[in-house]
């Protein structure tokens, strides 16, 4: 639950293990849809119902828009910036 590294932004993707999502699915979707090299994609965390992906902060908005426009494993998914741990 620690914040993404400097220069990275964490993206929330509303599909996870239950939907059969694997790290390579997320890397492939981001690389193909947002035109980002796979090596630029940071840590990927996959939970049962969602996934978190670290991408370069400068590309985050493009990645979010690309994933929203496309699909993951043939389904539309919720994509937004991860809000991180609730403070207060």
């Amino acid at each position: 639950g620690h914040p993404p590294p400097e220069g990275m932004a964490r993206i929330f993707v509303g599909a996870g293990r239950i939907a059969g999502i694997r790290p390579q699915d997320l890397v492939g979707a981001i690389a193909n849809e947002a035109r980002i090299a796979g090596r630029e994609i940071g840590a990927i965390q996959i939970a049962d119902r969602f996934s978190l992906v670290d991408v370069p902060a400068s590309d985050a908005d493009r990645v979010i828009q690309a994933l929203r426009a496309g699909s993951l494993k043939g389904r539309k998914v919720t994509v937004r910036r991860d809000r991180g741990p609730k403070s207060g």
Side-chain angles (χ1 to χ4, degrees):
H2 47 82
E6 191 66 36
M8 301 292 276
R10 187 160 290 159
I11 292 175
F12 173 97
V13 178
R17 214 172 276 122
I18 292 171
I21 301 300
R22 299 164 306 182
Q24 57 264 41
D25 296 322
L26 292 163
V27 170
I30 292 169
N32 292 334
E33 307 274 347
R35 302 280 186 267
I36 289 176
R39 65 177 179 274
E40 292 190 54
I41 298 167
I44 295 176
Q45 303 167 52
I46 298 183
D48 283 345
R49 298 181 182 280
F50 66 90
S51 305
L52 298 172
V53 187
D54 290 355
V55 300
S58 55
D59 294 319
D61 290 331
R62 191 160 48 120
V63 170
I64 290 168
Q65 284 166 355
L67 289 177
R68 280 178 176 161
S71 61
L72 204 56
K73 308 281 278 193
R75 70 182 74 196
K76 291 287 183 187
V77 294
T78 300
V79 186
R80 56 170 163 79
R81 284 180 187 265
D82 180 45
R83 298 190 184 102
K86 303 284 186 292
S87 54

